Amino acid sequence: MKILIDNGHGEDTPGKRSPKWPDGTQLFEWKYTREIALRVETELREQGIDVERIVKENTDIPLSERCKRANAIAVNVGVKNCLLVSIHNNASNTGRASGWEIHTYLGKSKSDEYATNFWDEAKAIFPMGTKMRGDWTDKDPDFDSNFAILRDTKCAAVLIENLFMDNQDDCRYLLSDEGKAAIVKIHVLSILKIAGK
Ligand SMILES: [Zn+2]
């Protein structure tokens, strides 16, 4: 199975960053997701997983181009043997929302099954009290979302919102060594399970 990693946003994307906290720390989504992506890829490769980054640039690559890149690889390896994982941090703009969530495209597909793998790992790995934001209206925990990266990719695709960067507690955890390790572990263990390792 081939794993495609999409790290959303670029250094030139407006917004997509946490407030600057009183201790001077700040999370930039493009930078954070690249750090997580690199760690996830490194660990997966060590486990023999075929993994490839869709966005190697630090700049914002348009969604249409990201889907084009993903589809070219997916068609090459066979769309059924491919999973795209898009890594993000959430923001509510109020600072009050918190928690972790995962999205798939509308309707039922293999992606929903894969998303449930991620959900189960996240639930097991996060410390007690971490909010798990599920949408159970269609009897599984992922949100059905009409996002281009989920809709316009030919292979299975999930998009993960790893906690809220504009919530101070979530952000502090995201930036901690413990938090980063947990986020990496959720992605690595989920993908290993999906790839049957
Ligand atoms: Zn994002």
Side-chain angles (χ1 to χ4, degrees):
M1 191 170 198
K2 177 114 188 176
I3 305 300
L4 305 176
I5 303 287
D6 171 59
N7 38 313
H9 320 300
E11 59 189 358
D12 52 344
T13 315
K16 307 292 180 190
R17 65 193 62 181
S18 78
K20 200 167 178 181
W21 303 113
D23 64 359
T25 57
Q26 187 173 22
L27 185 152
F28 293 89
E29 189 178 354
W30 73 272
K31 203 173 166 192
Y32 189 82
T33 54
R34 276 166 182 73
E35 182 184 340
I36 297 297
L38 183 62
R39 287 176 61 173
V40 169
E41 288 161 2
T42 305
E43 288 195 28
L44 287 175
R45 281 198 190 101
E46 283 168 6
Q47 301 287 331
I49 299 288
D50 184 6
V51 54
E52 188 167 340
R53 188 93 61 100
I54 292 303
V55 179
K56 296 184 175 87
E57 301 89 338
N58 280 342
T59 50
D60 199 357
I61 302 301
L63 279 160
S64 57
E65 171 63 19
R66 278 145 66 191
C67 292
K68 213 169 104 188
R69 290 179 187 181
N71 287 337
I73 300 166
V75 165
N76 199 33
V77 298
V79 291
K80 285 194 168 64
N81 300 320
C82 203
L83 166 65
L84 178 130
V85 178
S86 189
I87 306 175
H88 289 259
N89 302 112
N90 219 340
S92 67
N93 302 318
T94 67
R96 284 195 289 274
S98 72
W100 184 95
E101 63 192 39
I102 185 159
H103 298 251
T104 64
Y105 186 57
L106 318 182
K108 285 279 176 202
S109 71
K110 202 78 185 160
S111 304
D112 297 76
E113 201 183 303
Y114 295 153
T116 301
N117 284 108
F118 276 85
W119 174 274
D120 292 343
E121 293 297 342
K123 216 175 154 205
I125 289 166
F126 278 136
M128 255 206 346
T130 308
K131 192 169 179 187
M132 296 291 294
R133 298 163 59 95
D135 171 18
W136 296 95
T137 51
D138 63 346
K139 310 237 174 348
D140 63 27
D142 62 81
F143 286 84
D144 280 12
S145 299
N146 188 16
F147 297 157
I149 198 74
L150 304 175
R151 183 189 61 231
D152 298 337
T153 39
K154 295 181 197 290
C155 57
V158 297
L159 183 145
I160 298 139
E161 295 282 11
N162 289 293
L163 307 179
F164 281 74
M165 59 186 157
D166 64 346
N167 175 289
Q168 197 167 347
D169 291 335
D170 272 13
C171 194
R172 199 170 293 282
Y173 180 70
L174 281 168
L175 290 170
S176 69
D177 290 345
E178 182 201 349
K180 285 178 186 175
I183 300 289
V184 169
K185 197 172 172 192
I186 289 164
H187 290 73
V188 169
L189 293 187
S190 306
I191 291 166
L192 286 176
K193 195 171 274 178
I194 290 164
K197 292 260 177 178

